[in-house]
Amino acid sequence: MSDLNPCMTCGACCAYFRVSFYWAEANDGGGLVPAQLTEPLTPFLRCMMGTNSKHPRCGSLEGEIGHRVSCAIYPNRPSPCREFAMSGENDEENEACNRARARYGLPPLYKDMLFHTSLEAATSVLTAVQSAPN
Ligand code: SF4
Ligand code: SF4
């Protein structure tokens, strides 16, 4: 079993939601997000390039979803990415995280499953949770 953060073997939320934010989070507005990796959305909003499409995938997501992924601009990612909580974090489920994972055939995460990062390990823990006596 790996002790890696589950997000490092997931990436589903980076290829499920439109990642939009106030335009000035980009570095041509004084923020950190590389402007060339964003798309205009409205006069006041931008989104990460590739996320405003029928089959979204952020252009900054590297790797293969469900196996090994990373964010090419992690230190400079926009606020929605910073604020999106992995399900189970702080003992709280995040339905949106689990919905994105389901889109890619990944099992939901509960607080009991943190740090069980492989599909096999997560599935075995899920089975244990589901079959635990009340
Ligand atoms: S969907 Fe959840 S587990 Fe997957 S990368 Fe996003 S926050 Fe992490
Ligand atoms: S900027 Fe990084 S964390 Fe945010 S959606 Fe893109 S790849 Fe994911």
Side-chain angles (χ1 to χ4, degrees), residues 76-127:
N76 299 325
R77 67 200 189 286
S79 56
C81 308
R82 296 174 185 277
E83 293 162 6
F84 193 85
M86 174 176 56
S87 190
E89 198 174 330
N90 301 321
D91 283 354
E92 290 185 11
E93 271 184 65
N94 179 0
E95 178 274 334
C97 164
N98 285 334
R99 184 156 35 97
R101 288 176 60 85
R103 163 70 180 77
Y104 290 95
L106 299 169
L109 295 175
Y110 302 107
K111 62 181 179 181
D112 322 65
M113 301 170 75
L114 291 187
F115 308 112
H116 296 275
T117 58
S118 71
L119 181 58
E120 293 75 15
T123 302
S124 72
V125 174
L126 177 62
T127 303

Side-chain angles (χ1 to χ4, degrees), residues 13-14 19 48 51 58-61 70-74 77-78 81:
C13 56
C14 307
V19 181
M48 289 308 297
T51 66
C58 179
S60 297
L61 180 66
S70 61
C71 172
I73 59 161
Y74 190 77
R77 67 200 189 286
C81 308

